[in-house]
Amino acid sequence: WIVFLGVDEDSRAENVTPLLLESLEKKMLPLGLSALSVLMPEGSRLEQLTSSGFQVRHSLRYLERQMPVQRRELDLLKEVGGKMLPRHLWSNVAGMKREKQLLEERLVAPLAQQDLADKFGVVPPRAVMLFGPPGTGKTTFAKAVASRLDWPFVEVFPSRLSGGTAGMAASLREIFEHIGQLENAVVFIDEVEEIASQRRGDPPSPTQGVTNELLKLVADFRDREGLLLICATNFIRALDAAFLRHGRFDYVLPIGLPDEEARRAIWQRYVPSVIAQDVDFDQLVQRSKGLTPADIEYAARRTSQEALARALRPDGDGIDETSAKISTEHYLSALAVTRATVSNDEHESFLEDIESLARL
């Protein structure tokens, strides 16, 4: 374990530091102390320390990182189902350069570099809507933003709100009250259309109370610094019009099908490394155009599963690994029977939504 001890600025001239370290060494030595280190401000006189046996390490630099979650917040984060995500998620999102650039410029930079944002008069975002066809990676992007900011990620599941429509509104309000006690957090609501669908006249729709409550919560959320609400929907046209008005969500950003670079990265993730050099990735990338990441994963995993099945059904005795060898043709065969999640009509509708509803 490591202990940091500080000496008051006014006491340093009184030769306190060497005496304190000498006393500390005597007490800690029986406990297995192996080294004492001293951090000194630039320009400090070091003679008293070097004369006491300390050596200057010129090749060292001191770095520190603040913990993203303070100890007092751990129980609260657990209570709302939040967690810290690995820091590499942002870099793991290959391709999709346009989407990543939008998220970097609109969300990450203003929140992570607020002094720079203030310099250019940019107000950090408080709420963002992501929309696009099913399976295009909206959740992945939301998690990547939390990872990039090094903020806790809290996902609110509409399907888990309990107690009927009135109870759902109260449950949603309670969750947001707890989240509001966190210093920083990315709050994510997927399939938000379940609680934000269009309100219709008389009689009111069963979820109208929940929709009203969410609208109030979004407005309250905008008054809090250090929190970012990201909502995602597969059916943006189903949302109540109030959610898409200016003043609710800062940006309405489209997340589409993976581009060539992204599709290549997905294939490289699922093709076993031992056969990767023999696989024609260019052909796989071309033939998987129009598929979602989940579609490509299905085709890759199906190919591997079928190879295992061939190995387990040899003509003779034992495992026949030769007949189980995977080639490009096997992947192409799997692609041929993979049904695209997003139809051509759905993709055309998505492009229309970008023109009419996106706010970049």
Side-chain angles (χ1 to χ4, degrees):
W1 44 275
I2 300 175
V3 177
F4 277 95
L5 297 175
V7 179
D8 184 82
E9 184 75 30
D10 296 333
S11 302
R12 292 176 184 170
E14 301 174 8
N15 207 26
V16 170
T17 302
L19 294 176
L20 173 65
L21 292 173
E22 183 178 344
S23 175
L24 181 65
E25 182 178 350
K26 290 180 180 179
K27 290 185 176 296
M28 298 296 293
L29 195 59
L31 300 178
L33 178 70
S34 59
L36 278 176
S37 301
V38 181
L39 300 176
M40 301 292 289
E42 290 284 347
S44 299
R45 297 182 61 182
L46 306 178
E47 291 86 352
Q48 292 181 341
L49 294 172
T50 54
S51 63
S52 299
F54 285 89
Q55 298 179 346
V56 179
R57 304 294 189 189
H58 293 287
S59 60
L60 298 181
R61 292 185 178 183
Y62 171 71
L63 303 173
E64 71 174 17
R65 177 173 58 80
Q66 296 294 322
M67 300 302 292
V69 179
Q70 301 304 310
R71 183 177 179 181
R72 60 181 174 79
E73 296 181 299
L74 291 176
D75 290 339
L76 178 60
L77 190 62
K78 183 178 180 180
E79 184 178 341
V80 297
K83 58 185 176 181
M84 292 301 304
L85 299 173
R87 291 187 176 86
H88 60 262
L89 294 185
W90 181 263
S91 58
N92 279 1
V93 180
M96 309 296 283
K97 290 183 178 179
R98 181 173 179 273
E99 288 83 353
K100 287 185 72 174
Q101 182 177 359
L102 279 173
L103 294 173
E104 176 74 32
E105 294 175 353
R106 304 295 194 269
L107 308 187
V108 175
L111 290 168
Q113 305 178 59
Q114 294 200 21
D115 291 341
L116 181 62
D118 291 343
K119 181 179 179 180
F120 289 95
V122 175
V123 178
R126 299 286 184 260
V128 179
M129 180 72 70
L130 304 181
F131 74 94
T136 51
K138 295 180 287 295
T139 301
T140 298
F141 274 109
K143 290 181 176 181
V145 168
S147 170
R148 185 83 167 84
L149 291 169
D150 204 19
W151 287 6
F153 180 80
V154 181
E155 184 167 2
V156 177
F157 297 91
S159 59
R160 297 182 186 176
L161 299 176
S162 59
T165 53
M168 287 173 65
S171 178
L172 187 65
R173 182 169 58 252
E174 182 180 1
I175 291 173
F176 271 75
E177 286 174 354
H178 287 308
I179 292 173
Q181 299 176 45
L182 295 170
E183 185 174 346
N184 297 111
V186 171
V187 183
F188 180 60
I189 305 179
D190 194 13
E191 299 181 349
V192 71
E193 66 273 6
E194 292 185 16
I195 54 174
S197 57
Q198 295 181 16
R199 294 169 291 179
R200 294 180 174 85
D202 190 21
S205 63
T207 60
Q208 184 165 315
V210 187
T211 303
N212 292 337
E213 185 64 37
L214 183 57
L215 284 168
K216 295 175 186 176
L217 291 170
V218 171
D220 294 340
F221 208 85
R222 298 185 61 83
D223 295 331
R224 279 292 316 274
E225 294 186 0
L227 298 177
L228 175 64
L229 174 65
I230 301 180
C231 293
T233 178
N234 301 330
F235 307 102
I236 192 168
R237 299 182 190 185
L239 296 182
D240 190 271
F243 281 93
L244 300 180
R245 292 175 190 155
H246 289 280
R248 302 287 188 187
F249 288 86
D250 299 282
Y251 303 106
V252 181
L253 303 177
I255 304 295
L257 293 168
D259 56 22
E260 285 192 12
E261 184 179 350
R263 296 199 301 275
R264 184 180 298 276
I266 296 168
W267 279 114
Q268 290 174 340
R269 183 181 308 160
Y270 294 112
V271 172
S273 57
V274 293
I275 64 167
Q277 62 181 4
D278 300 322
V279 172
D280 186 348
F281 284 100
D282 290 338
Q283 194 172 359
L284 296 183
V285 169
Q286 184 61 34
R287 293 282 291 273
S288 56
K289 183 178 181 180
L291 297 183
T292 68
D295 294 336
I296 297 173
E297 178 184 355
Y298 168 79
R301 293 192 182 280
R302 178 182 178 124
T303 302
S304 296
Q305 185 63 51
E306 289 180 345
L308 175 60
R310 290 196 302 274
L312 294 174
R313 295 194 300 265
D315 294 332
D317 296 329
I319 303 289
D320 184 3
E321 295 188 11
T322 302
S323 64
K325 187 176 180 180
I326 302 174
S327 68
T328 303
E329 292 302 320
H330 291 109
Y331 286 110
L332 295 176
S333 297
L335 281 173
V337 296
T338 299
R339 289 189 293 270
T341 298
V342 181
S343 68
N344 291 333
D345 289 343
E346 289 173 324
H347 186 61
E348 288 300 320
S349 297
F350 169 64
L351 297 179
E352 293 172 4
D353 292 340
I354 293 177
E355 292 297 323
S356 60
L357 299 172
R359 190 159 63 244
L360 311 182

